[in-house]
Amino acid sequence: PGRTTPGTPLDTVTEWLPAALAGQISRSDAEQPGIWASILGQGHHIALVRQSIASVEATSTTAQILDVPIGAPLLHVRRIAVDGDDRVLALSDHRYVGHRFRLDVEFRGWPATSATEPPGVLQVPPSTPSRSATRTKKQGCSCACSSPAPPS
């Protein structure tokens, strides 16, 4: 698991780095101080973080790791860090236990368009008959990088 409170897992996390960065960061650095702090420590500048948040159900594997029932609600949070040239520096994929975690988001201002929804609120397309195809599409990276969909 990723974060825990005494004896209670809060999330699972999988992180990816471009090959050029991955060779510079050891496994122990990835664990402490962490991937993102290690990237900064290597002299890279994180100019922007793109984040998407969706509700998903716990799979059997994730449910076992997080000690929740299969199908329990989870927050799926994907973060993509990019540098000033819009190059991907890191991608992190979290599954947070819904009833053990809260994620606060702040919007400053409002879009100059006629939007009626807050920035970033998107409708998820209806599911297709193939559950695995839908799962891959929903979890696939929507950024310019070619990261594969993470495991459920």
Side-chain angles (χ1 to χ4, degrees), residues 4-132:
T4 61
T5 58
T8 305
L10 295 176
D11 77 332
T12 64
V13 61
T14 304
E15 295 179 304
W16 292 269
L17 298 172
L21 290 178
Q24 302 171 16
I25 298 174
S26 70
R27 182 165 188 84
S28 64
D29 288 340
E31 293 173 0
Q32 184 65 313
I35 293 279
W36 293 41
S38 295
I39 290 169
L40 294 173
Q42 294 285 330
H44 298 280
H45 173 71
I46 297 174
L48 176 72
V49 176
R50 295 182 185 111
Q51 180 168 272
S52 65
I53 307 163
S55 176
V56 297
E57 295 178 357
T59 63
S60 59
T61 302
T62 306
Q64 183 178 6
I65 292 168
L66 295 174
D67 193 27
V68 296
I70 295 172
L74 304 176
L75 288 177
H76 175 211
V77 179
R78 172 165 287 173
R79 293 184 187 101
I80 301 169
V82 297
D83 66 12
D85 294 323
D86 209 31
R87 289 182 299 230
V88 174
L89 296 173
L91 183 147
S92 64
D93 193 74
H94 298 260
R95 300 281 194 288
Y96 293 100
V97 177
H99 68 278
R100 296 182 193 146
F101 204 87
R102 184 180 85 202
L103 185 63
D104 293 332
V105 178
E106 180 177 300
F107 298 107
R108 294 186 182 261
W110 200 260
T113 65
S114 61
T116 57
E117 294 290 331
V121 174
L122 304 172
Q123 181 177 355
V124 175
S127 59
T128 61
S130 168
R131 184 172 171 90
S132 63

